[in-house]
Amino acid sequence: MELRLLRSFIAAAEDGNISKAAARLSVTQPALSRQIKTLEDDLGVALLERGAHSFSLTPSGELLLREGRALIERADALEQRVKASAKAQTLRVGYSPSLTAGILSPAMEAFSQLHPKARVELSDLSSLEMVEGLQKGTLDVIVTVPPGKVVPDIAWITVQQQAWRVAVPRQHPLVNKATLTPQDLNDQRLVVYNQREYPDYWAGISAWFKSQGINARIASECDGVTSLISAVEAGLGIALVVERIACLIPERIVLKPLKPQPASVCIAAGMLERQSRDKVLAVFVEELKRAGEVDHRRSSE
């Protein structure tokens, strides 16, 4: 059964008039009538009960109309997916290495297998820079902690929840404790991300310090995970970091559990709402979610 003939039959059945359907399809009335007759011959059943000036659907015609609509919808959807997979689309991704360790690489690998012609461009940015990149149109998707305040036109999809750890240099007295408490951090020299580029990180830990009665002594403000790790390794202080940063930590730093600790960190993929229907982008985000789930199960084992 040719889809072209099925489309012609559906148009005629929906309009209830051969002339109107022919005009809508930009064909002549005799041509449309021949197409429907060809479809009837192919199927070996009558689809229309023809009168002098009108027609009605036979039971077979009613069945074909109902099921044919669904078939055409699936065919159209398949066509769009095939076309999308063939496009050499470029996805511009903003990310933070400290938040996406164990997630981004497997997601990109799985995505490239599904869309081998698509390119992924990565930009290591601060949270503020990522949000600004989305708003300016220089990024397609970002992987970070959603801002505390609502940002218009940005949709967020949770990828993973991560717990906190304390990064401690091996020569620090706290390295001998198996688990740290909030009071262990009191009056300690702290290495943190800077307030301008990581306002939500700063606001979150500041509020937690206050709730726990911790006197925060800021020893160093860093512009990214590399400088933060370097500052801790140099002995400038200890740092609150997410647990999956472990793969980036050198031997001279130890990650210590913290109990009780601040609320877990929500890692999410953010995109402009108008791009949320982009099929290739949706596949990439789905692979991020899947990688986040696998990584979480692995870390829990």
Side-chain angles (χ1 to χ4, degrees):
M1 183 170 56
E2 294 185 35
L3 290 181
R4 176 179 61 88
L5 301 180
L6 179 58
R7 292 180 191 276
S8 296
F9 165 73
I10 290 174
E14 288 179 338
D15 285 338
N17 185 287
I18 296 292
S19 298
K20 289 182 179 179
R24 178 151 67 96
L25 296 173
S26 299
V27 298
T28 64
Q29 180 176 340
L32 179 56
S33 296
R34 285 196 300 271
Q35 289 174 2
I36 295 174
K37 184 64 171 63
T38 299
L39 181 59
E40 289 178 317
D41 292 342
D42 289 345
L43 294 174
V45 298
L47 301 173
L48 305 180
E49 290 284 357
R50 295 168 175 80
H53 302 290
S54 63
F55 67 83
S56 60
L57 296 178
T58 65
S60 296
E62 292 176 353
L63 174 63
L64 184 61
L65 175 61
R66 183 171 62 253
E67 299 295 335
R69 283 170 173 159
L71 178 60
I72 292 298
E73 288 178 2
R74 291 197 295 272
D76 289 342
L78 176 60
E79 180 182 357
Q80 291 302 315
R81 289 199 298 272
V82 171
K83 288 180 178 179
S85 67
K87 292 179 180 177
Q89 184 168 341
T90 298
L91 292 185
R92 300 162 300 174
V93 181
Y95 77 107
S96 168
S98 63
L99 299 177
T100 58
I103 299 174
L104 188 57
S105 293
M108 289 177 57
E109 182 179 358
F111 173 76
S112 65
Q113 293 175 359
L114 296 170
H115 291 278
K117 293 188 178 181
R119 295 178 55 212
V120 179
E121 296 179 355
L122 299 178
S123 297
D124 177 357
L125 303 168
S126 69
S127 299
L128 182 61
E129 290 171 331
M130 281 189 255
V131 172
E132 290 177 347
L134 268 188
Q135 294 174 321
K136 294 178 180 178
T138 58
L139 295 173
D140 299 307
V141 62
I142 61 178
V143 191
T144 185
V145 177
K149 61 180 180 179
V150 176
V151 181
D153 302 324
I154 295 182
W156 295 95
I157 298 176
T158 299
V159 172
Q160 192 183 65
Q161 297 283 344
Q162 294 190 10
W164 291 91
R165 295 290 184 268
V166 182
V168 181
R170 286 194 178 274
Q171 68 271 25
H172 196 283
L174 289 179
V175 79
N176 295 317
K177 294 196 65 173
T179 300
L180 303 184
T181 67
Q183 287 309 307
D184 287 325
L185 307 185
N186 191 46
D187 285 328
Q188 294 288 343
R189 292 167 58 84
L190 299 173
V191 177
V192 297
Y193 294 110
N194 69 52
Q195 187 173 8
R196 187 183 70 84
E197 294 181 301
Y198 299 87
D200 293 291
Y201 168 89
W202 185 283
I205 64 170
S206 296
W208 186 73
F209 286 159
K210 185 176 181 180
S211 70
Q212 299 295 320
I214 299 171
N215 178 34
R217 297 174 57 199
I218 306 302
S220 178
E221 293 188 38
C222 305
D223 61 359
V225 65
T226 302
S227 56
L228 183 139
I229 290 174
S230 296
V232 174
E233 189 175 19
L236 297 184
I238 61 178
L240 272 173
V241 296
V242 293
E243 61 181 338
R244 297 310 295 155
I245 200 177
C247 62
L248 305 176
I249 295 295
E251 290 186 0
R252 288 189 290 178
I253 295 177
V254 179
L255 290 184
K256 292 291 183 179
L258 176 64
K259 294 182 180 180
Q261 62 172 254
S264 61
V265 180
C266 175
I267 311 302
M271 70 199 82
L272 293 178
E273 290 180 347
R274 65 173 179 269
Q275 288 186 292
S276 60
R277 295 181 179 272
D278 185 292
K279 293 180 174 60
V280 175
L281 183 56
V283 170
F284 183 75
V285 172
E286 190 62 31
E287 292 306 326
L288 284 172
K289 289 172 56 182
R290 184 174 290 108
E293 292 169 358
V294 171
D295 180 68
H296 179 72
R297 287 197 300 269
R298 186 182 299 117
S299 63
S300 300
E301 293 176 351

